[in-house]
Structures are given as structure tokens and as C-alpha cells.
């Protein structure tokens, strides 16, 4: 039985192929792979690019005092100094203040008065010493024939504060706040170029003399940035301690005498 023989022979052949690993029928017709055109090898799949992790950039340390120093040095006149101070973002009290308070009076006046910081009234109006203490200051100046509204440099005064923004609830300025605004104040004095500086109270003494203690400092002439400077009681203190007006009057007379001497 020839057909039976063929069957067993084909089965044995199939077994042999399965043993060789040919376990799947792919095509009914054979393919002569030697006769095929050689094909260019497929380009290897591009290996996934190893992306370097983003560099860890250390937050740049900001030195507010150095930044203030740079900005202040670049200011060549009072308007550009005011603009530089207004653009300075490192003093936190700026956020709570309504107005930037730069100065009042006549730039170039012989006397520059330096106070502490704006209070509530100054914060609303944008000018230094306009509240109760400011009104007393005006009377004190009037007593020695000086006037912040005068256009005459001999009679006029120029007024600024250590800080141009009101501290919350009128608290005393902190040492860091004073330190970062000091380069602006020093530049302010240089640009206003007064003959004499009056330091009203402890805060300007702390800022410009490096020490407070107004009761001992008042009435003692000293020097600030190469200019004669006189510490005096702050008018707000005089409102609380009217008896101290006697010393304040003596200091005002001393100020007037100094201005005569320097002429
Ligand atoms: N006290 C200050 O020292 N400055 C002002 O401008 C107002 C009150």
C-alpha cells in the first residue's frame, strides 16, 4: 500500500522538522532566501536618549544691603534716587505701606533733618512729618526762623526719614531694615549736600552714628559722612514729655549758632 507508506514517511519527516524547531507552517510555497535581493539592515532603533537630570540651581543668595548699595551708587540725582528706592523690593514693610515717603522741603537747603519713618498721616499723604509731630517740628523751626516751605536756602530745610515706608503699627524699625536702607540714606545726604544734619531721635542716631541713647547724645555735635550733625529729641517724644522742650530749645539755638559759624 503505497499511499500508507507515503503517509508514514511524511509523518516521520514532519516529526523530524518539529524536532528541528519548525513548529509553524508559514507559507505554502517555499522561499529561496539565497535568491532574494540583499536588504539593507534596518537601522537600529535609536537608543532612548539619556537626558541629564536638570541641574540643581542653588537659589541665589540675595544680599539686600549690597543691592541697595549698588542701586544707591548708580543714582546720580534725587529723582533717580527716589526711583531706585521705590523699585527696591527687599524691605518687607514696603508691602504694608500705602505710600512711599521720600522727602519734603528744599533740596540743597543748609539743614537736612532726618527722622525715623513715616507714621499714619505721612503714609496717607506721602510727605514726611505732616502729623502731630510734624506740626510741632514746624513750630520748632519757626522759632529759629526756618521753614520747610521756604525757597530761600538760608531759611529752608530739607526733610527725610531713615525708612521711606511706614512700619506696621508704627513699630520701631528693625536693625536689618535700617541696614538695608542705609546706603540709600547715605546717598540721599550726599545728593542733598546740606551744611548741617539734624538727627531726630534714636533711629537716625542708630543708623548714622551706630548708637542710640538720645538722652545722652542730644545736644552733642558730632559728624555724619563728613558733615556736622546734631542729635535732638524727636518731636513725638516732646509731645509726650513736654518738659524736654527746654533741652530741645537749647539745641535749636545751638543749631542756629552753628549755621552762623559756618557762613
Ligand atoms: N516721625 C518721623 O520720624 N518721621 C515722620 O515722617 C513722621 C513722624
Amino acid at each position: 500500500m503505497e499511499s500508507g507508506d507515503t503517509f508514514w514517511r511524511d509523518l516521520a519527516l514532519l516529526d523530524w522538522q518539529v524536532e528541528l524547531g519548525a513548529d509553524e507552517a508559514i507559507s505554502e510555497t517555499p522561499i529561496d532566501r539565497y535568491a532574494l535581493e540583499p536588504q539593507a539592515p534596518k537601522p537600529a532603533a535609536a537608543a532612548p536618549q539619556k537626558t541629564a537630570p536638570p541641574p540643581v540651581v542653588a537659589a541665589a543668595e540675595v544680599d539686600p544691603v549690597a543691592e541697595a548699595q549698588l542701586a544707591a551708587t548708580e543714582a546720580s540725582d534725587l529723582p533717580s534716587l527716589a526711583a531706585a528706592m521705590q523699585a527696591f523690593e527687599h524691605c518687607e514693610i514696603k508691602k504694608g505701606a500705602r505710600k512711599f515717603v521720600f522727602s519734603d522741603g528744599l533740596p540743597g537747603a543748609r539743614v537736612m533733618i532726618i527722622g525715623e519713618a513715616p507714621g499714619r498721616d505721612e503714609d496717607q499723604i506721602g510727605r514726611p512729618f505732616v502729623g502731630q509731630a510734624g506740626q510741632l517740628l514746624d513750630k520748632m523751626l519757626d522759632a529759629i526762623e526756618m521753614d520747610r516751605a521756604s525757597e530761600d536756602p538760608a531759611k529752608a530745610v530739607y526733610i527725610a526719614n531713615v525708612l521711606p515706608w511706614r512700619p506696621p503699627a508704627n513699630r520701631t524699625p528693625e536693625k536689618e531694615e535700617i541696614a538695608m536702607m542705609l546706603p540709600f540714606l547715605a546717598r540721599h545726604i550726599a545728593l542733598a549736600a546740606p551744611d548741617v544734619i539734624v538727627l531726630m531721635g534714636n533711629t537716625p542716631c542708630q543708623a548714622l552714628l551706630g548708637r542710640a541713647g538720645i538722652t545722652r547724645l542730644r545736644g552733642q555735635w558730632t559728624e555724619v559722612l563728613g558733615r556736622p550733625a546734631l542729635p535732638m529729641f524727636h518731636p513725638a517724644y516732646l509731645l509726650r514729655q513736654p518738659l524736654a522742650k527746654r533741652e530741645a530749645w537749647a539745641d535749636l539755638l545751638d543749631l542756629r549758632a552753628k549755621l552762623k559759624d559756618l557762613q
Side-chain angles (χ1 to χ4, degrees):
M1 290 224 343
E2 203 190 64
S3 63
D5 284 353
T6 309
F7 171 80
W8 291 112
R9 199 187 56 232
D10 287 351
L11 189 59
L13 201 54
L14 197 57
D15 277 346
W16 179 68
Q17 286 186 346
V18 169
E19 241 171 74
L20 287 178
D23 56 354
E24 195 180 354
I26 291 174
S27 171
E28 293 208 343
T29 50
I31 299 170
D32 180 358
R33 297 190 186 275
Y34 292 102
L36 293 177
E37 284 287 312
Q39 290 195 347
K42 279 192 188 167
Q49 288 237 325
K50 277 194 186 160
T51 46
V56 180
V57 181
E61 281 276 317
V62 174
D63 178 352
V65 178
E67 296 224 348
Q69 186 65 62
L70 191 67
T73 309
E74 283 173 355
S76 56
D77 53 22
L78 291 170
S80 57
L81 179 68
M85 288 170 75
Q86 261 187 300
F88 187 71
E89 297 295 345
H90 302 297
C91 195
E92 283 295 306
I93 56 167
K94 177 182 181 180
K95 296 186 181 135
R98 286 189 192 196
K99 290 232 165 117
F100 169 71
V101 179
F102 184 63
S103 70
D104 198 17
L106 186 73
R110 296 190 67 204
V111 177
M112 180 170 182
I113 295 172
I114 300 174
E116 178 175 297
R120 194 195 53 193
D121 298 305
E122 292 77 18
D123 185 47
Q124 278 175 352
I125 293 171
R127 280 170 53 211
F129 282 102
V130 292
Q132 266 194 307
Q135 286 157 25
L136 178 55
L137 175 62
D138 286 342
K139 284 188 194 154
M140 291 162 68
L141 293 173
D142 188 49
I144 54 166
E145 292 162 348
M146 303 203 85
D147 178 3
R148 73 164 96 182
S150 176
E151 295 285 314
D152 174 358
K155 279 189 80 178
V157 294
Y158 184 63
I159 305 176
N161 282 312
V162 173
L163 300 185
W165 298 288
R166 181 193 184 196
N170 292 351
R171 67 155 167 73
T172 303
E174 288 171 3
K175 283 206 171 138
E176 295 73 25
E177 293 162 350
I178 294 175
M180 72 175 78
M181 297 313 290
L182 185 57
F184 292 115
L185 180 60
R187 189 74 182 136
H188 204 157
I189 293 169
L191 292 169
D195 289 348
V196 163
I197 296 169
V198 174
L199 305 169
M200 285 288 184
N202 271 323
T203 299
C205 290
Q206 183 64 55
L208 292 162
L209 304 177
R211 59 190 192 277
I214 192 65
T215 310
R216 270 202 268 152
L217 291 173
R218 64 140 284 279
Q220 310 292 321
W221 281 97
T222 180
E223 214 181 76
V224 163
L225 303 169
R227 296 166 201 273
L230 180 65
M232 282 185 66
F233 284 136
H234 192 288
Y237 176 77
L238 297 175
L239 288 171
R240 296 193 302 273
Q241 304 287 337
L243 286 181
K245 284 182 184 171
R246 211 168 37 153
E247 282 96 346
W249 176 236
D251 296 344
L252 286 170
L253 293 178
D254 212 2
L255 171 63
R256 191 166 65 179
K258 184 71 148 189
L259 289 169
K260 275 211 179 101
D261 278 359
L262 291 174
Q263 266 178 341

